[in-house]
Amino acid sequence: MVCYNSKTAIILDSFAGSGTTAHAVLKLNEKDGGNRKFILVEMEDYAESITAERVRRVMKGYGEGAAAVAGTGGAFDYYELGEPMFDKEKNLNENIGEEKIREYIYYTETKRHLERERTESAKYLLDTSNDTGYYFYYEQDCLTTLGVDTLHIVTEPAEQYVIYADVCTLSEEDMAAKNIVFKKIPRDIKRF
């Protein structure tokens, strides 16, 4: 049962079908001056051609002549999901592109969006947050090893470092002394 009592409710329809819920919300807003919002989710291939199109027509109006129905007004945004971040084996889906992977890692670590621009001089740095430097030592076509000879990837001082790489050859003592937390990049290394 959907409750529309509040004029500022947000209604979620996770099986949007043809968009009937959105139609009802728009009509109710028109009737009582409400400002209800809706979120529709549709996984079928008709989401754009049927579901979203119906919402557009309800807002703009539809029909002709005596059968014309005036639009309710309003606005909505339509989004499609991209490729999944991980494949079925729980490895990174490298097809989504490195920038999306970098954004995802930084967000999961900090719960903040990655806004810092990537530079050639700090190629592996994601950003620094709460005195922690976050690094994604990644090359798409080769394995990366965090070791004594690759610590130059750290380009800014911080109290602690979280570094993603394929392999780590630093000892536990070295990592503790340098305040490094190593995290393995989840990818299928058998393909190399």
Side-chain angles (χ1 to χ4, degrees):
M1 180 174 160
V2 178
C3 178
Y4 301 105
N5 291 341
S6 171
K7 289 186 177 186
T8 59
I10 299 175
I11 294 91
L12 171 65
D13 183 352
S14 19
F15 299 96
S18 67
T20 303
T21 298
H23 194 157
V25 169
L26 290 166
K27 292 298 278 182
L28 189 56
N29 281 344
E30 180 183 46
K31 179 179 176 182
D32 68 7
N35 189 27
R36 296 168 193 86
K37 297 179 181 352
F38 54 86
I39 300 171
L40 306 180
V41 179
E42 183 51 65
M43 300 292 289
E44 297 298 328
D45 59 0
Y46 56 76
E48 168 68 25
S49 62
I50 294 176
T51 313
E53 185 57 30
R54 179 177 183 181
V55 176
R56 286 186 198 97
R57 289 180 187 205
V58 169
M59 290 187 305
K60 292 180 183 174
Y62 55 92
E64 295 179 15
V69 176
T72 61
F76 83 105
D77 294 314
Y78 175 83
Y79 299 97
E80 290 185 13
L81 295 176
E83 288 192 49
M85 183 66 61
F86 297 96
D87 63 20
K88 292 177 183 172
E89 288 79 38
K90 297 189 174 27
N91 292 310
L92 279 176
N93 176 3
E94 294 176 285
N95 294 329
I96 65 169
E98 186 175 346
E99 287 310 309
K100 292 290 182 198
I101 296 170
R102 289 169 56 87
E103 290 170 9
Y104 171 80
I105 288 172
Y106 188 72
Y107 186 81
T108 58
E109 290 287 347
T110 66
K111 303 302 181 249
R112 297 175 54 198
H113 292 284
L114 179 60
E115 295 178 4
R116 185 174 188 146
E117 293 289 325
R118 185 175 183 186
T119 65
E120 196 55 40
S121 62
K123 174 177 178 175
Y124 303 109
L125 173 64
L126 298 173
D127 205 349
T128 302
S129 177
N130 295 326
D131 296 319
T132 300
Y134 294 94
Y135 289 81
F136 183 52
Y137 185 30
Y138 170 84
E139 296 291 337
Q140 184 170 358
D141 297 323
C142 64
L143 295 178
T144 56
T145 301
L146 178 62
V148 174
D149 58 333
T150 57
L151 283 176
H152 64 276
I153 68 162
V154 175
T155 55
E156 290 185 11
E159 289 182 23
Q160 176 178 294
Y161 304 95
V162 174
I163 303 175
Y164 284 78
D166 290 300
V167 179
C168 181
T169 59
L170 294 172
S171 68
E172 293 290 328
E173 295 79 25
D174 283 341
M175 288 195 298
K178 294 178 179 12
N179 295 322
I180 294 173
V181 175
F182 166 72
K183 296 196 176 182
K184 183 172 177 26
I185 297 173
R187 61 177 165 171
D188 181 8
I189 61 173
K190 294 183 295 262
R191 65 188 171 92
F192 291 104

PDB file of all heavy atoms in Angstrom, residues 102 116-128 133-136 150-158 161 163:
ATOM      1  N   ARG A 102      38.988   4.473  -9.362  1.00  0.00           N
ATOM      2  CA  ARG A 102      39.595   5.404  -8.393  1.00  0.00           C
ATOM      3  C   ARG A 102      38.522   6.079  -7.550  1.00  0.00           C
ATOM      4  O   ARG A 102      38.653   6.180  -6.327  1.00  0.00           O
ATOM      5  CB  ARG A 102      40.435   6.446  -9.132  1.00  0.00           C
ATOM      6  CG  ARG A 102      41.720   5.903  -9.745  1.00  0.00           C
ATOM      7  CD  ARG A 102      42.385   6.910 -10.689  1.00  0.00           C
ATOM      8  NE  ARG A 102      42.670   8.187 -10.050  1.00  0.00           N
ATOM      9  CZ  ARG A 102      43.778   8.460  -9.368  1.00  0.00           C
ATOM     10  NH1 ARG A 102      44.722   7.554  -9.251  1.00  0.00           N
ATOM     11  NH2 ARG A 102      43.963   9.649  -8.832  1.00  0.00           N
ATOM     12  N   ARG A 116      39.704  15.621  -6.248  1.00  0.00           N
ATOM     13  CA  ARG A 116      41.063  16.020  -6.635  1.00  0.00           C
ATOM     14  C   ARG A 116      41.363  15.540  -8.050  1.00  0.00           C
ATOM     15  O   ARG A 116      41.111  14.398  -8.410  1.00  0.00           O
ATOM     16  CB  ARG A 116      42.058  15.410  -5.661  1.00  0.00           C
ATOM     17  CG  ARG A 116      43.474  15.854  -5.905  1.00  0.00           C
ATOM     18  CD  ARG A 116      44.366  15.311  -4.809  1.00  0.00           C
ATOM     19  NE  ARG A 116      45.692  15.865  -4.919  1.00  0.00           N
ATOM     20  CZ  ARG A 116      46.456  16.128  -3.894  1.00  0.00           C
ATOM     21  NH1 ARG A 116      46.034  15.900  -2.675  1.00  0.00           N
ATOM     22  NH2 ARG A 116      47.652  16.604  -4.080  1.00  0.00           N
ATOM     23  N   GLU A 117      41.925  16.431  -8.845  1.00  0.00           N
ATOM     24  CA  GLU A 117      42.330  16.095 -10.207  1.00  0.00           C
ATOM     25  C   GLU A 117      43.603  15.268 -10.169  1.00  0.00           C
ATOM     26  O   GLU A 117      44.510  15.549  -9.386  1.00  0.00           O
ATOM     27  CB  GLU A 117      42.570  17.368 -11.023  1.00  0.00           C
ATOM     28  CG  GLU A 117      41.322  18.185 -11.277  1.00  0.00           C
ATOM     29  CD  GLU A 117      40.365  17.532 -12.248  1.00  0.00           C
ATOM     30  OE1 GLU A 117      40.827  16.870 -13.198  1.00  0.00           O
ATOM     31  OE2 GLU A 117      39.149  17.688 -12.057  1.00  0.00           O
ATOM     32  N   ARG A 118      43.682  14.292 -11.017  1.00  0.00           N
ATOM     33  CA  ARG A 118      44.870  13.453 -11.116  1.00  0.00           C
ATOM     34  C   ARG A 118      45.948  14.206 -11.891  1.00  0.00           C
ATOM     35  O   ARG A 118      45.667  14.825 -12.913  1.00  0.00           O
ATOM     36  CB  ARG A 118      44.501  12.166 -11.842  1.00  0.00           C
ATOM     37  CG  ARG A 118      45.595  11.168 -11.911  1.00  0.00           C
ATOM     38  CD  ARG A 118      45.071   9.918 -12.541  1.00  0.00           C
ATOM     39  NE  ARG A 118      46.099   8.900 -12.565  1.00  0.00           N
ATOM     40  CZ  ARG A 118      45.973   7.750 -13.147  1.00  0.00           C
ATOM     41  NH1 ARG A 118      44.845   7.447 -13.755  1.00  0.00           N
ATOM     42  NH2 ARG A 118      46.938   6.878 -13.128  1.00  0.00           N
ATOM     43  N   THR A 119      47.166  14.158 -11.392  1.00  0.00           N
ATOM     44  CA  THR A 119      48.283  14.806 -12.078  1.00  0.00           C
ATOM     45  C   THR A 119      49.344  13.760 -12.407  1.00  0.00           C
ATOM     46  O   THR A 119      49.417  12.714 -11.773  1.00  0.00           O
ATOM     47  CB  THR A 119      48.919  15.906 -11.206  1.00  0.00           C
ATOM     48  OG1 THR A 119      49.498  15.296 -10.048  1.00  0.00           O
ATOM     49  CG2 THR A 119      47.893  16.950 -10.792  1.00  0.00           C
ATOM     50  N   GLU A 120      50.172  14.055 -13.368  1.00  0.00           N
ATOM     51  CA  GLU A 120      51.236  13.122 -13.755  1.00  0.00           C
ATOM     52  C   GLU A 120      52.260  12.987 -12.634  1.00  0.00           C
ATOM     53  O   GLU A 120      52.813  11.916 -12.408  1.00  0.00           O
ATOM     54  CB  GLU A 120      51.897  13.582 -15.060  1.00  0.00           C
ATOM     55  CG  GLU A 120      52.728  12.520 -15.723  1.00  0.00           C
ATOM     56  CD  GLU A 120      51.983  11.217 -16.011  1.00  0.00           C
ATOM     57  OE1 GLU A 120      50.804  11.253 -16.420  1.00  0.00           O
ATOM     58  OE2 GLU A 120      52.587  10.140 -15.810  1.00  0.00           O
ATOM     59  N   SER A 121      52.514  14.061 -11.884  1.00  0.00           N
ATOM     60  CA  SER A 121      53.515  14.003 -10.806  1.00  0.00           C
ATOM     61  C   SER A 121      53.018  13.230  -9.585  1.00  0.00           C
ATOM     62  O   SER A 121      53.809  12.747  -8.790  1.00  0.00           O
ATOM     63  CB  SER A 121      53.937  15.412 -10.397  1.00  0.00           C
ATOM     64  OG  SER A 121      52.821  16.127  -9.902  1.00  0.00           O
ATOM     65  N   ALA A 122      51.701  13.127  -9.424  1.00  0.00           N
ATOM     66  CA  ALA A 122      51.114  12.359  -8.317  1.00  0.00           C
ATOM     67  C   ALA A 122      50.101  11.376  -8.905  1.00  0.00           C
ATOM     68  O   ALA A 122      48.946  11.310  -8.485  1.00  0.00           O
ATOM     69  CB  ALA A 122      50.449  13.295  -7.316  1.00  0.00           C
ATOM     70  N   LYS A 123      50.539  10.618  -9.854  1.00  0.00           N
ATOM     71  CA  LYS A 123      49.705   9.737 -10.669  1.00  0.00           C
ATOM     72  C   LYS A 123      48.878   8.734  -9.866  1.00  0.00           C
ATOM     73  O   LYS A 123      47.758   8.399 -10.232  1.00  0.00           O
ATOM     74  CB  LYS A 123      50.636   9.020 -11.645  1.00  0.00           C
ATOM     75  CG  LYS A 123      50.048   7.979 -12.494  1.00  0.00           C
ATOM     76  CD  LYS A 123      51.111   7.436 -13.451  1.00  0.00           C
ATOM     77  CE  LYS A 123      50.536   6.341 -14.289  1.00  0.00           C
ATOM     78  NZ  LYS A 123      51.455   5.870 -15.302  1.00  0.00           N
ATOM     79  N   TYR A 124      49.421   8.246  -8.761  1.00  0.00           N
ATOM     80  CA  TYR A 124      48.737   7.197  -8.003  1.00  0.00           C
ATOM     81  C   TYR A 124      47.998   7.725  -6.776  1.00  0.00           C
ATOM     82  O   TYR A 124      47.273   6.987  -6.123  1.00  0.00           O
ATOM     83  CB  TYR A 124      49.739   6.123  -7.588  1.00  0.00           C
ATOM     84  CG  TYR A 124      50.457   5.537  -8.780  1.00  0.00           C
ATOM     85  CD1 TYR A 124      51.804   5.807  -9.018  1.00  0.00           C
ATOM     86  CD2 TYR A 124      49.773   4.743  -9.694  1.00  0.00           C
ATOM     87  CE1 TYR A 124      52.453   5.275 -10.130  1.00  0.00           C
ATOM     88  CE2 TYR A 124      50.411   4.214 -10.804  1.00  0.00           C
ATOM     89  CZ  TYR A 124      51.748   4.486 -11.012  1.00  0.00           C
ATOM     90  OH  TYR A 124      52.368   3.972 -12.118  1.00  0.00           O
ATOM     91  N   LEU A 125      48.186   8.988  -6.460  1.00  0.00           N
ATOM     92  CA  LEU A 125      47.509   9.582  -5.313  1.00  0.00           C
ATOM     93  C   LEU A 125      46.031   9.794  -5.636  1.00  0.00           C
ATOM     94  O   LEU A 125      45.690  10.388  -6.649  1.00  0.00           O
ATOM     95  CB  LEU A 125      48.151  10.928  -4.960  1.00  0.00           C
ATOM     96  CG  LEU A 125      47.453  11.754  -3.877  1.00  0.00           C
ATOM     97  CD1 LEU A 125      47.474  11.038  -2.537  1.00  0.00           C
ATOM     98  CD2 LEU A 125      48.105  13.122  -3.777  1.00  0.00           C
ATOM     99  N   LEU A 126      45.171   9.300  -4.754  1.00  0.00           N
ATOM    100  CA  LEU A 126      43.748   9.611  -4.883  1.00  0.00           C
ATOM    101  C   LEU A 126      43.516  10.964  -4.232  1.00  0.00           C
ATOM    102  O   LEU A 126      43.102  11.909  -4.875  1.00  0.00           O
ATOM    103  CB  LEU A 126      42.898   8.525  -4.223  1.00  0.00           C
ATOM    104  CG  LEU A 126      43.028   7.124  -4.827  1.00  0.00           C
ATOM    105  CD1 LEU A 126      42.277   6.097  -3.999  1.00  0.00           C
ATOM    106  CD2 LEU A 126      42.536   7.113  -6.259  1.00  0.00           C
ATOM    107  N   ASP A 127      43.795  11.045  -2.932  1.00  0.00           N
ATOM    108  CA  ASP A 127      43.715  12.302  -2.187  1.00  0.00           C
ATOM    109  C   ASP A 127      44.124  12.013  -0.752  1.00  0.00           C
ATOM    110  O   ASP A 127      44.355  10.862  -0.371  1.00  0.00           O
ATOM    111  CB  ASP A 127      42.305  12.899  -2.233  1.00  0.00           C
ATOM    112  CG  ASP A 127      42.310  14.407  -2.019  1.00  0.00           C
ATOM    113  OD1 ASP A 127      43.350  14.978  -1.629  1.00  0.00           O
ATOM    114  OD2 ASP A 127      41.257  15.042  -2.245  1.00  0.00           O
ATOM    115  N   THR A 128      44.169  13.066   0.044  1.00  0.00           N
ATOM    116  CA  THR A 128      44.451  12.940   1.474  1.00  0.00           C
ATOM    117  C   THR A 128      43.202  13.348   2.229  1.00  0.00           C
ATOM    118  O   THR A 128      42.566  14.345   1.905  1.00  0.00           O
ATOM    119  CB  THR A 128      45.633  13.836   1.872  1.00  0.00           C
ATOM    120  OG1 THR A 128      46.765  13.454   1.086  1.00  0.00           O
ATOM    121  CG2 THR A 128      45.970  13.695   3.333  1.00  0.00           C
ATOM    122  N   GLY A 133      46.863   9.496   3.538  1.00  0.00           N
ATOM    123  CA  GLY A 133      47.031   9.570   2.092  1.00  0.00           C
ATOM    124  C   GLY A 133      46.553   8.272   1.464  1.00  0.00           C
ATOM    125  O   GLY A 133      46.942   7.180   1.894  1.00  0.00           O
ATOM    126  N   TYR A 134      45.681   8.381   0.471  1.00  0.00           N
ATOM    127  CA  TYR A 134      45.125   7.206  -0.214  1.00  0.00           C
ATOM    128  C   TYR A 134      45.746   7.113  -1.605  1.00  0.00           C
ATOM    129  O   TYR A 134      45.675   8.064  -2.384  1.00  0.00           O
ATOM    130  CB  TYR A 134      43.601   7.314  -0.317  1.00  0.00           C
ATOM    131  CG  TYR A 134      42.953   7.268   1.040  1.00  0.00           C
ATOM    132  CD1 TYR A 134      42.654   8.434   1.734  1.00  0.00           C
ATOM    133  CD2 TYR A 134      42.650   6.052   1.648  1.00  0.00           C
ATOM    134  CE1 TYR A 134      42.074   8.404   2.991  1.00  0.00           C
ATOM    135  CE2 TYR A 134      42.065   6.001   2.899  1.00  0.00           C
ATOM    136  CZ  TYR A 134      41.786   7.184   3.564  1.00  0.00           C
ATOM    137  OH  TYR A 134      41.212   7.127   4.819  1.00  0.00           O
ATOM    138  N   TYR A 135      46.326   5.941  -1.887  1.00  0.00           N
ATOM    139  CA  TYR A 135      47.017   5.715  -3.155  1.00  0.00           C
ATOM    140  C   TYR A 135      46.471   4.464  -3.838  1.00  0.00           C
ATOM    141  O   TYR A 135      46.190   3.461  -3.182  1.00  0.00           O
ATOM    142  CB  TYR A 135      48.526   5.549  -2.929  1.00  0.00           C
ATOM    143  CG  TYR A 135      49.194   6.840  -2.543  1.00  0.00           C
ATOM    144  CD1 TYR A 135      49.139   7.299  -1.223  1.00  0.00           C
ATOM    145  CD2 TYR A 135      49.837   7.616  -3.486  1.00  0.00           C
ATOM    146  CE1 TYR A 135      49.735   8.499  -0.867  1.00  0.00           C
ATOM    147  CE2 TYR A 135      50.439   8.817  -3.136  1.00  0.00           C
ATOM    148  CZ  TYR A 135      50.375   9.256  -1.819  1.00  0.00           C
ATOM    149  OH  TYR A 135      50.955  10.456  -1.476  1.00  0.00           O
ATOM    150  N   PHE A 136      46.336   4.561  -5.150  1.00  0.00           N
ATOM    151  CA  PHE A 136      45.897   3.438  -5.966  1.00  0.00           C
ATOM    152  C   PHE A 136      47.003   3.181  -6.977  1.00  0.00           C
ATOM    153  O   PHE A 136      47.054   3.789  -8.041  1.00  0.00           O
ATOM    154  CB  PHE A 136      44.566   3.781  -6.642  1.00  0.00           C
ATOM    155  CG  PHE A 136      43.975   2.669  -7.452  1.00  0.00           C
ATOM    156  CD1 PHE A 136      43.785   1.402  -6.927  1.00  0.00           C
ATOM    157  CD2 PHE A 136      43.572   2.898  -8.763  1.00  0.00           C
ATOM    158  CE1 PHE A 136      43.221   0.382  -7.687  1.00  0.00           C
ATOM    159  CE2 PHE A 136      43.010   1.886  -9.530  1.00  0.00           C
ATOM    160  CZ  PHE A 136      42.842   0.633  -8.985  1.00  0.00           C
ATOM    161  N   THR A 150      59.582   1.044  -4.756  1.00  0.00           N
ATOM    162  CA  THR A 150      58.428   1.742  -5.353  1.00  0.00           C
ATOM    163  C   THR A 150      57.744   2.701  -4.376  1.00  0.00           C
ATOM    164  O   THR A 150      56.687   3.235  -4.681  1.00  0.00           O
ATOM    165  CB  THR A 150      57.380   0.743  -5.891  1.00  0.00           C
ATOM    166  OG1 THR A 150      56.965  -0.127  -4.839  1.00  0.00           O
ATOM    167  CG2 THR A 150      57.933  -0.047  -7.058  1.00  0.00           C
ATOM    168  N   LEU A 151      58.346   2.938  -3.228  1.00  0.00           N
ATOM    169  CA  LEU A 151      57.750   3.871  -2.263  1.00  0.00           C
ATOM    170  C   LEU A 151      57.729   5.312  -2.779  1.00  0.00           C
ATOM    171  O   LEU A 151      57.063   6.161  -2.201  1.00  0.00           O
ATOM    172  CB  LEU A 151      58.462   3.797  -0.916  1.00  0.00           C
ATOM    173  CG  LEU A 151      58.106   2.587  -0.066  1.00  0.00           C
ATOM    174  CD1 LEU A 151      58.937   2.570   1.208  1.00  0.00           C
ATOM    175  CD2 LEU A 151      56.622   2.581   0.264  1.00  0.00           C
ATOM    176  N   HIS A 152      58.419   5.580  -3.895  1.00  0.00           N
ATOM    177  CA  HIS A 152      58.406   6.921  -4.483  1.00  0.00           C
ATOM    178  C   HIS A 152      57.010   7.306  -4.995  1.00  0.00           C
ATOM    179  O   HIS A 152      56.765   8.475  -5.291  1.00  0.00           O
ATOM    180  CB  HIS A 152      59.428   7.020  -5.622  1.00  0.00           C
ATOM    181  CG  HIS A 152      59.097   6.116  -6.772  1.00  0.00           C
ATOM    182  ND1 HIS A 152      59.460   4.784  -6.779  1.00  0.00           N
ATOM    183  CD2 HIS A 152      58.427   6.340  -7.920  1.00  0.00           C
ATOM    184  CE1 HIS A 152      59.019   4.236  -7.905  1.00  0.00           C
ATOM    185  NE2 HIS A 152      58.393   5.161  -8.615  1.00  0.00           N
ATOM    186  N   ILE A 153      56.096   6.346  -5.074  1.00  0.00           N
ATOM    187  CA  ILE A 153      54.740   6.697  -5.495  1.00  0.00           C
ATOM    188  C   ILE A 153      54.058   7.586  -4.464  1.00  0.00           C
ATOM    189  O   ILE A 153      53.104   8.296  -4.780  1.00  0.00           O
ATOM    190  CB  ILE A 153      53.870   5.445  -5.773  1.00  0.00           C
ATOM    191  CG1 ILE A 153      53.575   4.685  -4.485  1.00  0.00           C
ATOM    192  CG2 ILE A 153      54.506   4.564  -6.827  1.00  0.00           C
ATOM    193  CD1 ILE A 153      52.418   3.734  -4.582  1.00  0.00           C
ATOM    194  N   VAL A 154      54.528   7.547  -3.218  1.00  0.00           N
ATOM    195  CA  VAL A 154      53.990   8.416  -2.166  1.00  0.00           C
ATOM    196  C   VAL A 154      54.556   9.801  -2.398  1.00  0.00           C
ATOM    197  O   VAL A 154      55.761  10.023  -2.284  1.00  0.00           O
ATOM    198  CB  VAL A 154      54.351   7.889  -0.760  1.00  0.00           C
ATOM    199  CG1 VAL A 154      53.890   8.871   0.312  1.00  0.00           C
ATOM    200  CG2 VAL A 154      53.736   6.513  -0.544  1.00  0.00           C
ATOM    201  N   THR A 155      53.666  10.728  -2.736  1.00  0.00           N
ATOM    202  CA  THR A 155      54.125  12.058  -3.155  1.00  0.00           C
ATOM    203  C   THR A 155      53.806  13.170  -2.157  1.00  0.00           C
ATOM    204  O   THR A 155      54.286  14.279  -2.330  1.00  0.00           O
ATOM    205  CB  THR A 155      53.493  12.420  -4.514  1.00  0.00           C
ATOM    206  OG1 THR A 155      52.068  12.300  -4.401  1.00  0.00           O
ATOM    207  CG2 THR A 155      54.022  11.508  -5.609  1.00  0.00           C
ATOM    208  N   GLU A 156      52.973  12.877  -1.157  1.00  0.00           N
ATOM    209  CA  GLU A 156      52.633  13.904  -0.174  1.00  0.00           C
ATOM    210  C   GLU A 156      52.730  13.321   1.226  1.00  0.00           C
ATOM    211  O   GLU A 156      52.273  12.200   1.463  1.00  0.00           O
ATOM    212  CB  GLU A 156      51.206  14.425  -0.406  1.00  0.00           C
ATOM    213  CG  GLU A 156      51.065  15.247  -1.645  1.00  0.00           C
ATOM    214  CD  GLU A 156      49.670  15.852  -1.794  1.00  0.00           C
ATOM    215  OE1 GLU A 156      48.870  15.808  -0.843  1.00  0.00           O
ATOM    216  OE2 GLU A 156      49.396  16.368  -2.884  1.00  0.00           O
ATOM    217  N   PRO A 157      53.285  14.086   2.162  1.00  0.00           N
ATOM    218  CA  PRO A 157      53.384  13.574   3.531  1.00  0.00           C
ATOM    219  C   PRO A 157      52.014  13.476   4.192  1.00  0.00           C
ATOM    220  O   PRO A 157      51.133  14.304   3.969  1.00  0.00           O
ATOM    221  CB  PRO A 157      54.259  14.617   4.232  1.00  0.00           C
ATOM    222  CG  PRO A 157      54.186  15.846   3.391  1.00  0.00           C
ATOM    223  CD  PRO A 157      53.869  15.412   2.003  1.00  0.00           C
ATOM    224  N   ALA A 158      51.850  12.431   4.992  1.00  0.00           N
ATOM    225  CA  ALA A 158      50.630  12.218   5.774  1.00  0.00           C
ATOM    226  C   ALA A 158      51.005  11.399   6.999  1.00  0.00           C
ATOM    227  O   ALA A 158      52.094  10.831   7.070  1.00  0.00           O
ATOM    228  CB  ALA A 158      49.577  11.497   4.937  1.00  0.00           C
ATOM    229  N   TYR A 161      49.231   6.010   5.505  1.00  0.00           N
ATOM    230  CA  TYR A 161      49.016   5.799   4.082  1.00  0.00           C
ATOM    231  C   TYR A 161      48.235   4.507   3.877  1.00  0.00           C
ATOM    232  O   TYR A 161      48.559   3.489   4.467  1.00  0.00           O
ATOM    233  CB  TYR A 161      50.352   5.702   3.333  1.00  0.00           C
ATOM    234  CG  TYR A 161      51.222   6.913   3.565  1.00  0.00           C
ATOM    235  CD1 TYR A 161      52.190   6.899   4.571  1.00  0.00           C
ATOM    236  CD2 TYR A 161      51.063   8.071   2.816  1.00  0.00           C
ATOM    237  CE1 TYR A 161      52.969   8.015   4.817  1.00  0.00           C
ATOM    238  CE2 TYR A 161      51.839   9.188   3.058  1.00  0.00           C
ATOM    239  CZ  TYR A 161      52.787   9.158   4.054  1.00  0.00           C
ATOM    240  OH  TYR A 161      53.557  10.259   4.292  1.00  0.00           O
ATOM    241  N   ILE A 163      47.545   2.125   0.784  1.00  0.00           N
ATOM    242  CA  ILE A 163      48.049   1.950  -0.574  1.00  0.00           C
ATOM    243  C   ILE A 163      47.506   0.649  -1.159  1.00  0.00           C
ATOM    244  O   ILE A 163      47.711  -0.427  -0.597  1.00  0.00           O
ATOM    245  CB  ILE A 163      49.587   1.939  -0.606  1.00  0.00           C
ATOM    246  CG1 ILE A 163      50.125   3.238   0.024  1.00  0.00           C
ATOM    247  CG2 ILE A 163      50.092   1.769  -2.040  1.00  0.00           C
ATOM    248  CD1 ILE A 163      51.637   3.290   0.150  1.00  0.00           C
TER     249      ILE A 163
END
